[in-house]
Amino acid sequence: MSPDFFAFSVGTNDANVPYSGFKPEIFRANLDSLVQIVLNANPNCAILLTVPNDAYYKRKYLNKNVDREREMIIQLAKKYEAAVWDMYGIMGELGSSKTWSRNGLMRGDLVHFSATGYRLKGDMFFESFLKWLQQMEIR
């Protein structure tokens, strides 16, 4: 089938490695390949790229790889004129998952959200998606 819309929400597991083990250019190339597959099926497909949430590596190390992924995602968004939903930025960027955890929105692993946190994330995504659709209608 030829999709009209495709959302890519990847990166959490890719970033969950030591800083030296994450290769941003490989992450970018892999995501670029996935986008190409979709665009080969429909060159006019609307693309949404999402940035993963802030997380800690092994519960104690700031995961700076998420910021590196964000850079690669934004580069691809510019290349394909795609939309970006930046959960990392919404949360407050590096180290913010501890604040979310203290407020009952993330689990103790500092990677996954609590049920309340997932509902909040879903609500924020849905509101953003509706605003994006409205902007597309205006165009």
Side-chain angles (χ1 to χ4, degrees):
M1 292 188 56
S2 177
D4 293 324
F5 168 75
F6 206 97
F8 291 90
S9 188
V10 300
T12 299
N13 292 334
D14 301 271
N16 199 26
V17 296
Y19 189 83
S20 62
F22 179 74
K23 305 296 181 218
E25 48 296 329
I26 293 173
F27 174 81
R28 184 184 190 280
N30 289 339
L31 184 53
D32 196 354
S33 294
L34 292 172
V35 171
Q36 281 294 319
I37 291 168
V38 170
L39 293 177
N40 285 337
N42 179 3
N44 297 315
C45 183
I47 302 287
L48 171 65
L49 303 171
T50 69
V51 177
N53 55 275
D54 178 64
Y56 274 67
Y57 177 62
K58 295 189 175 184
R59 296 184 185 183
K60 58 183 175 179
Y61 304 107
L62 291 168
N63 193 336
K64 297 177 182 177
N65 293 329
V66 179
D67 192 59
R68 297 161 80 194
E69 286 179 330
R70 178 201 223 178
E71 290 178 34
M72 299 298 104
I73 289 167
I74 290 170
Q75 286 177 15
L76 287 175
K78 288 177 182 175
K79 176 180 178 179
Y80 293 108
E81 297 181 4
V84 175
W85 191 67
D86 184 4
M87 187 61 190
Y88 181 71
I90 291 167
M91 287 181 74
E93 300 181 4
L94 187 64
S96 60
S97 55
K98 279 208 174 177
T99 302
W100 282 59
S101 179
R102 281 192 298 271
N103 287 289
L105 300 171
M106 288 198 85
R107 294 182 187 169
D109 66 3
L110 299 173
V111 173
H112 299 95
F113 293 94
S114 65
T116 303
Y118 276 119
R119 279 192 293 280
L120 176 61
K121 180 182 178 184
D123 289 345
M124 288 188 299
F125 177 81
F126 187 69
E127 286 179 34
S128 296
F129 186 75
L130 289 178
K131 286 179 185 177
W132 178 66
L133 287 176
Q134 290 169 350
Q135 290 172 354
M136 297 307 290
E137 288 176 5
I138 292 170
R139 284 187 185 177

